[in-house]
Amino acid sequence: MELFQAKDHYILQQGERALWCSRRDGGLQLRPATDLLLAWNPICLGLVEGVIGKIQLHSDLPWWLILIRQKALVGKLPGDHEVCKVTKIAVLSLSEMEPQDLELELCKKHHFGINKPEKIIPSPDDSKFLLKTFTHIKSNVSAPNKKKVKESKEKEKLERRLLEELLKMFMDSESFYYSLTYDLTNSVQRQSAGEDPRPLWQKVDDRFFWNKYMIQDLTEIGTRDVDFWIIPIIQGFVQIEELVVNYNESSDDEKSSPETPPQESTCVDDIYPRFLVALISRRSRHRAGMRYKRRGVDKNGNVANYVETEQLIHVHNHTLSFIQTRGSVPVFWSQVGYRYNPRPRLDRSEKDTVPYFCAHFEEQLKIYKKQVIINLVDQAGREKIIGDAYLKQVLLFNNSHLTYVSFDFHEHCRGMKFENVQTLTDAIHDIILDMKWCWVDQAGVICKQEGIFRVNCMDCLDRTNVVQAAIARVVMEQQLKKLGVMPPEQPLPVKCNRIYQIMWANNGDSISRQYAGTAALKGDFTRTGERKLAGVMKDGVNSANRYYLNRFKDAYRQAVIDLMQGIPVTEDLYSIFTKEKEHEALHKENQRSHQELISQLLQSYMKLLLPDNEKFHGGWALIDCDPSLIDATHRDVDVLLLLSNSAYYVAYYDDEVDKVNQYQRLSLEDLEKIEIGPEPTLFGKPKFSCMRLHYRYKEASGYFHTLRAVMRNPEEDGKGRAVNLMKTSLASDLKTKALWPREKNF
């Protein structure tokens, strides 16, 4: 659709329809396309894909119109329904302010042979009037007016900061999706309940209609002409893939092996069965927000980070759907502070929590009939208080349609043995089969899903995603066997399984970015294990500073989310805006907590990585300073070095998602020597001393890790006191000082 700029309006036009957006009061009005002739000097700015809505970032400032500037096709769902992802947005101030360079695709009809659209130039009289007015105001500002001008500037600065966060939210995370013909907010089962002649936006599930408040001016018009302009948008994740069930096809790893001769590719379309699999996650707009800003339940029974995930299988004319949900533990709890993994606390008594816990599950049972709770929080340590409160509320609720299952994920999966989740899926296998799934074909509904799994950990992110993927895989294999796509006794083919795992990993990463408030990962490891560390540690000087800075980022992002949903912003953003400028001075006061944060981080991953039969000797938070892998100016933690009595572990830590993405376990018997010396640099004089651990891999030498300390004290000499301390400690534990050569340059 075309976007026009006129003196008093922005006008969106497609065919015979037009939407006029007032630049004076922000009002939206439907008008016939022919009314464009009545607009004052309309200029075509370019093409847009649709309207998201409008938002007011401050009550004293103008509204902003949000448009879909660019989309990407995700894929097609059964029925040839296209699903698109919002990749870029354009924001226009509904005021007399001139629009910035919107970078819109140009309309060929109005911009033939033109690279950029022209801007409206005020008439000479208007220009003189504005200049005269501005000069008059400037020359007559009194002391009280200066104060008002200062306040106005502060408001505008805050608005710019919130606008920046809004743009990041839509364009960095790429987590907003829509379809013009398919209801992404409703599952297959809810859509198959019966024919509904209403337009798409009136049939949506209110919980997942993310732009409902922003588009409210249009929904209140009440005429059928408005249907064209309303696009329901969800926040979440959508991925659609077509898989081939080919047991003769080797994996990509085998194909790339030198022992495997190249084979001619053959067409498998007519030989092997194929099916479409789609993963759709819908985040609730109720109690939406950031991890440390939104926890637990609210007064309406809504919980934080509530997500409904639907796994959809389509074979020929058969569509099978299985849904699960995740959501924060529905009690009043929080984590105060911005340290690594702050200690959780309960904010209300057991008695005061009961009515809100009941409100949450009464609504859930009304929608899904039965609930099987899978609680993954630790049954010991700091998480125990939340798990115990959850169980007590379930017992007080005492409903036969609610089943409670507790699974201490960290205890069962120590040493990154996530395959131990099968212990859980085996234990609940009968429940999975009894729950069934939704199955529809051209004739109608064959069977329905009876109940859902509601999975949670503390954040409802990593652990939750692993368990949901495991449950969904059991269901998918049963579905494919029922349809005759898979043999009864065979598992999923290797290539299908790998793509399936990648889909669920992508789903987990996307939900994590939305709840943790981070941008798209830039320094993550690829799914094949290739390291790409450049840019991972970009947000601060050390771990303490990272969490301190998140305080500001979370506050702005939370404010934007609240404003999108029409919720008043309760936090004092002006105070935060001022404090943000002083963070360097305040950070010095928090240096004492740095070692505590590092200690907690090391303790967490010591428990997770080391098996029971290994004794923990020590750990360090370090920087990988190999210049071929990482920008040597980084100061944040990106490597955890853990030492046991029989091995050492090098774990690569991603601070954007607060987890280890990959680790190496190396036997001490394969450690050949340890060197220390100046840090290798591509340019300039080295500022740090570092340590290089040489090791053998598959009996071959030539492998090493180059590590240094996180921070350097200027008073230390060039040898690097921190590195020497690590060397001494390692030598003491390994009792291999003889292996160490003299210090030398690398």
Side-chain angles (χ1 to χ4, degrees):
M1 62 184 66
E2 298 161 317
L3 172 65
F4 293 89
Q5 177 188 358
K7 182 180 180 181
D8 297 327
H9 294 86
Y10 287 109
I11 302 167
L12 291 156
Q13 184 166 310
Q14 182 165 330
E16 298 178 355
R17 302 179 178 92
L19 177 65
W20 287 48
C21 311
S22 173
R23 298 177 66 183
R24 296 191 179 276
D25 60 13
L28 304 181
Q29 184 182 11
L30 299 181
R31 296 176 67 169
T34 52
D35 279 6
L36 185 65
L37 299 171
L38 305 176
W40 189 86
N41 190 22
I43 300 294
C44 181
L45 300 179
L47 300 175
V48 296
E49 300 292 342
V51 182
I52 293 175
K54 64 178 191 176
I55 188 171
Q56 190 176 30
L57 299 174
H58 194 286
S59 58
D60 296 334
L61 296 174
W63 288 84
W64 290 84
L65 181 67
I66 308 174
L67 305 172
I68 302 171
R69 173 158 66 97
Q70 196 174 95
K71 66 180 181 182
L73 179 65
V74 175
K76 293 184 178 182
L77 291 172
D80 213 31
H81 298 288
E82 290 187 349
V83 178
C84 296
K85 175 169 60 179
V86 178
T87 55
K88 291 182 181 179
I89 63 169
V91 290
L92 293 165
S93 176
L94 294 179
S95 66
E96 295 179 357
M97 181 193 304
E98 281 294 306
Q100 302 300 315
D101 187 2
L102 301 175
E103 299 181 358
L104 300 181
E105 180 185 346
L106 298 184
C107 167
K108 294 179 181 179
K109 182 168 65 175
H110 298 102
H111 298 285
F112 182 75
I114 301 175
N115 292 325
K116 285 191 176 181
E118 59 180 303
K119 292 185 178 180
I120 294 178
I121 300 173
S123 67
D125 292 339
D126 287 343
S127 299
K128 288 178 182 178
F129 173 76
L130 290 171
L131 182 61
K132 184 178 178 181
T133 304
F134 179 74
T135 305
H136 177 76
I137 292 172
K138 189 175 180 180
S139 61
N140 290 281
V141 172
S142 59
N145 286 337
K146 284 182 179 178
K147 184 178 179 181
K148 290 182 179 179
V149 169
K150 184 179 178 181
E151 289 176 357
S152 178
K153 287 183 177 179
E154 287 295 315
K155 289 177 184 177
E156 290 173 0
K157 286 180 182 178
L158 181 59
E159 183 188 46
R160 283 198 297 271
R161 182 65 182 83
L162 292 173
L163 188 62
E164 179 185 321
E165 200 63 42
L166 176 71
L167 290 167
K168 286 180 180 178
M169 186 173 173
F170 272 93
M171 297 198 288
D172 286 357
S173 65
E174 294 191 347
S175 59
F176 291 91
Y177 299 82
Y178 70 93
S179 173
L180 299 177
T181 59
Y182 187 85
D183 184 1
L184 288 175
T185 69
N186 274 305
S187 65
V188 170
Q189 183 158 316
R190 291 197 293 271
Q191 291 187 52
S192 62
E195 289 294 327
D196 191 340
R198 293 179 298 168
L200 181 65
W201 68 270
Q202 291 182 347
K203 295 186 288 187
V204 296
D205 189 321
D206 182 74
R207 297 174 296 168
F208 309 119
F209 188 178
W210 256 74
N211 58 328
K212 179 181 178 180
Y213 176 77
M214 292 187 285
I215 208 77
Q216 190 172 354
D217 280 13
L218 291 180
T219 60
E220 291 177 350
I221 290 177
T223 64
R224 294 300 300 266
D225 295 337
V226 81
D227 299 343
F228 172 81
W229 299 100
I230 300 175
I231 303 175
I233 290 176
I234 67 165
Q235 187 187 37
F237 175 77
V238 181
Q239 186 170 346
I240 303 168
E241 300 287 345
E242 189 172 51
L243 304 184
V244 179
V245 183
N246 181 4
Y247 288 95
N248 298 321
E249 186 176 25
S250 59
S251 67
D252 290 345
D253 294 337
E254 292 171 347
K255 287 179 180 179
S256 61
S257 173
E259 290 95 11
T260 307
Q263 298 177 356
E264 293 184 4
S265 60
T266 58
C267 180
V268 298
D269 289 14
D270 300 323
I271 303 174
Y272 300 105
R274 50 200 305 124
F275 64 97
L276 180 142
V277 58
L279 207 55
I280 304 172
S281 282
R282 314 166 175 103
R283 295 194 76 223
S284 174
R285 65 185 183 89
H286 301 305
R287 196 157 176 72
M290 310 311 299
R291 175 168 44 179
Y292 293 119
K293 297 290 184 181
R294 293 291 182 268
R295 294 288 208 191
V297 72
D298 67 11
K299 294 180 179 179
N300 297 315
N302 300 309
V303 295
N305 201 23
Y306 183 89
V307 183
E308 180 188 81
T309 300
E310 179 178 21
Q311 180 176 277
L312 189 149
I313 307 293
H314 183 72
V315 183
H316 304 304
N317 295 320
H318 296 267
T319 301
L320 298 89
S321 159
F322 183 76
I323 57 175
Q324 303 178 75
T325 62
R326 68 178 76 189
S328 189
V329 174
V331 299
F332 290 95
W333 67 281
S334 59
Q335 284 180 282
V336 178
Y338 293 85
R339 298 180 175 184
Y340 169 74
N341 195 17
R343 186 175 294 277
R345 71 180 189 189
L346 294 174
D347 297 327
R348 291 203 186 185
S349 68
E350 181 181 294
K351 182 179 179 181
D352 290 342
T353 301
V354 168
Y356 308 104
F357 181 93
C358 292
H360 173 71
F361 275 107
E362 282 169 0
E363 184 195 22
Q364 293 297 296
L365 293 174
K366 181 180 178 181
I367 297 170
Y368 301 110
K369 309 307 177 187
K370 296 178 183 178
Q371 293 259 305
V372 178
I373 296 169
I374 308 288
N375 184 17
L376 305 175
V377 302
D378 295 347
Q379 296 174 22
R382 61 175 59 213
E383 295 184 3
K384 187 176 187 295
I385 186 174
I386 305 300
D388 288 350
Y390 198 177
L391 178 57
K392 288 177 182 177
Q393 291 294 328
V394 171
L395 293 174
L396 290 171
F397 189 56
N398 191 25
N399 191 301
S400 60
H401 296 297
L402 199 64
T403 303
Y404 180 88
V405 177
S406 181
F407 182 79
D408 192 327
F409 186 94
H410 287 151
E411 182 64 30
H412 286 86
C413 301
R414 287 175 65 92
M416 290 283 191
K417 294 180 179 177
F418 295 147
E419 65 272 16
N420 289 350
V421 169
Q422 188 174 345
T423 306
L424 172 63
T425 55
D426 288 346
I428 63 173
H429 192 263
D430 290 343
I431 298 176
I432 296 174
L433 297 183
D434 290 343
M435 193 172 286
K436 303 176 186 176
W437 52 78
C438 177
W439 184 352
V440 298
D441 64 6
Q442 289 178 322
V445 179
I446 296 174
C447 72
K448 293 184 178 180
Q449 182 175 339
E450 298 175 0
I452 60 161
F453 289 102
R454 184 198 191 277
V455 187
N456 73 273
C457 50
M458 292 295 282
D459 296 329
C460 302
L461 297 176
D462 301 333
R463 288 174 277 180
T464 296
N465 203 66
V466 170
V467 169
Q468 285 195 335
I471 294 172
R473 177 179 169 169
V474 173
V475 172
M476 185 174 73
E477 289 184 348
Q478 291 293 324
Q479 291 171 334
L480 294 176
K481 289 171 183 176
K482 285 274 188 183
L483 292 167
V485 176
M486 275 177 58
E489 303 301 324
Q490 287 275 14
L492 203 62
V494 174
K495 189 171 182 180
C496 285
N497 185 54
R498 186 174 63 253
I499 296 172
Y500 175 78
Q501 287 178 321
I502 289 172
M503 290 178 71
W504 271 95
N506 291 342
N507 177 66
D509 286 347
S510 183
I511 293 172
S512 179
R513 287 195 297 268
Q514 293 158 26
Y515 191 41
T518 59
L521 301 181
K522 296 179 178 65
D524 200 1
F525 292 90
T526 65
R527 305 313 167 111
T528 58
E530 180 186 351
R531 287 185 292 181
K532 293 183 179 179
L533 293 179
V536 172
M537 306 301 157
K538 66 178 182 179
D539 286 331
V541 176
N542 57 31
S543 185
N545 197 30
R546 178 177 70 247
Y547 285 95
Y548 184 72
L549 287 174
N550 276 349
R551 175 179 185 176
F552 303 119
K553 184 172 66 174
D554 285 359
Y556 295 131
R557 179 65 62 89
Q558 185 64 56
V560 169
I561 292 171
D562 287 344
L563 290 168
M564 287 173 66
Q565 305 306 327
I567 301 170
V569 177
T570 56
E571 193 157 9
D572 185 0
L573 293 179
Y574 285 109
S575 174
I576 292 173
F577 191 63
T578 303
K579 289 179 181 178
E580 188 178 20
K581 301 172 186 176
E582 305 166 1
H583 78 273
E584 289 183 2
L586 292 174
H587 167 60
K588 292 178 181 178
E589 300 175 9
N590 294 334
Q591 281 288 347
R592 289 172 295 179
S593 65
H594 177 62
Q595 289 304 321
E596 178 188 346
L597 302 175
I598 297 298
S599 176
Q600 291 178 9
L601 192 64
L602 292 168
Q603 287 293 323
S604 295
Y605 281 100
M606 178 270 290
K607 294 177 182 178
L608 188 60
L609 295 177
L610 268 63
D612 294 333
N613 60 352
E614 289 188 22
K615 183 179 178 182
F616 180 62
H617 281 260
W620 298 267
L622 306 173
I623 295 293
D624 188 320
C625 53
D626 186 336
S628 67
L629 297 177
I630 195 164
D631 177 359
T633 62
H634 287 305
R635 299 291 182 271
D636 215 337
V637 179
D638 70 339
V639 172
L640 305 179
L641 178 63
L642 306 177
L643 177 66
S644 76
N645 60 324
S646 58
Y648 72 93
Y649 296 75
V650 179
Y652 292 91
Y653 176 76
D654 188 334
D655 73 330
E656 289 194 340
V657 289
D658 295 333
K659 67 180 180 182
V660 165
N661 282 324
Q662 186 173 346
Y663 77 98
Q664 288 177 275
R665 181 189 183 278
L666 298 157
S667 172
L668 296 182
E669 295 177 355
D670 291 327
L671 183 64
E672 294 183 316
K673 61 180 178 179
I674 304 176
E675 298 174 312
I676 64 170
E679 176 187 28
T681 57
L682 297 176
F683 306 100
K685 185 179 178 181
K687 297 180 181 179
F688 296 88
S689 290
C690 61
M691 172 174 63
R692 181 170 284 172
L693 307 175
H694 292 261
Y695 64 93
R696 293 187 303 273
Y697 179 68
K698 294 183 178 179
E699 304 301 324
S701 298
Y703 296 89
F704 58 84
H705 293 286
T706 307
L707 309 170
R708 67 163 172 81
V710 176
M711 298 292 289
R712 174 180 177 269
N713 189 327
E715 297 177 359
E716 295 173 0
D717 61 15
K719 302 298 182 184
R721 180 172 173 269
V723 171
N724 280 319
L725 285 172
M726 287 186 292
K727 169 187 169 183
T728 304
S729 180
L730 278 168
S732 175
D733 285 320
L734 298 174
K735 298 182 176 62
T736 55
K737 290 183 180 179
L739 290 174
W740 294 35
R742 288 179 175 273
E743 294 178 11
K744 67 176 184 179
N745 294 335
F746 300 136

